[in-house]
Amino acid sequence: DFKTNEYAGLLGGSTFESNEENPMIGFRGASRYTHESFAESFALECKAMLRVRNEMGLTNLKIMVPFCRTLTEADRVLEVMSEHGLKRGENGLEVYVMCEIPSNVLLIDEFSQRFDGFSIGSNDLTQLTLGVDRDNAKVA
């Protein structure tokens, strides 16, 4: 789950990434995956996952969706993945979500109906719950 500043730091990345004031809560994770400006890139990511599962036979690969803010985002990212051949439950595909936003905790029952499991993202969850910025030593 790269943030815009991390993508921009890659060779050639600054050509494609905009500057965000706070990339920690910006254009990342599920919102990025479902945005029209990232559609082609996400399609390639899905294609790679399909290749690993279907051509290489590594069906134990699970997919993890990072930084999923809302139930609508959850539904949309699963829909887009399905459009690219990655349908939850098909051929044993399990899709997990990072639990790293307070809304994930508050709506845990609803998120658990959409995903097969969770991974706790304690850095982001702590930062967003306590209102601290781990990238700013003055308030970290």
Side-chain angles (χ1 to χ4, degrees):
D1 172 34
F2 277 179
K3 293 153 239 0
T4 52
N5 62 332
E6 293 169 336
Y7 276 118
L10 298 173
L11 183 62
S14 60
T15 303
F16 301 98
E17 293 298 326
S18 60
N19 183 39
E20 287 189 292
E21 291 299 319
N22 190 347
M24 291 299 295
I25 58 173
F27 189 51
R28 61 183 283 208
S31 65
R32 184 179 188 93
Y33 297 160
T34 59
H35 194 274
E36 61 199 31
S37 68
F38 198 71
E40 191 175 347
S41 296
F42 190 58
L44 284 173
E45 290 185 26
C46 290
K47 185 176 180 180
M49 296 300 101
L50 277 172
R51 181 172 182 217
V52 168
R53 289 182 56 80
N54 298 342
E55 294 177 31
M56 299 173 75
L58 301 173
T59 56
N60 62 335
L61 176 90
K62 295 173 182 18
I63 295 177
M64 179 81 66
V65 177
F67 219 77
C68 188
R69 295 170 173 94
T70 67
L71 300 172
T72 301
E73 270 188 1
D75 293 337
R76 182 68 184 128
V77 76
L78 291 169
E79 177 184 326
V80 172
M81 287 172 52
S82 183
E83 290 169 5
H84 291 295
L86 293 168
K87 184 171 181 161
R88 180 178 168 233
E90 193 172 276
N91 194 23
L93 177 63
E94 293 183 8
V95 182
Y96 284 47
V97 68
M98 290 291 297
C99 182
E100 56 190 336
I101 304 170
S103 63
N104 301 141
V105 176
L106 296 171
L107 299 170
I108 195 85
D109 291 335
E110 290 86 349
F111 275 101
S112 68
Q113 293 170 11
R114 289 158 170 82
F115 295 100
D116 298 297
F118 298 89
S119 176
I120 306 300
S122 59
N123 284 337
D124 285 338
L125 188 57
T126 299
Q127 175 177 255
L128 293 169
T129 301
L130 300 178
V132 297
D133 183 351
R134 72 178 187 217
D135 287 346
N136 184 337
K138 295 176 184 173
V139 294

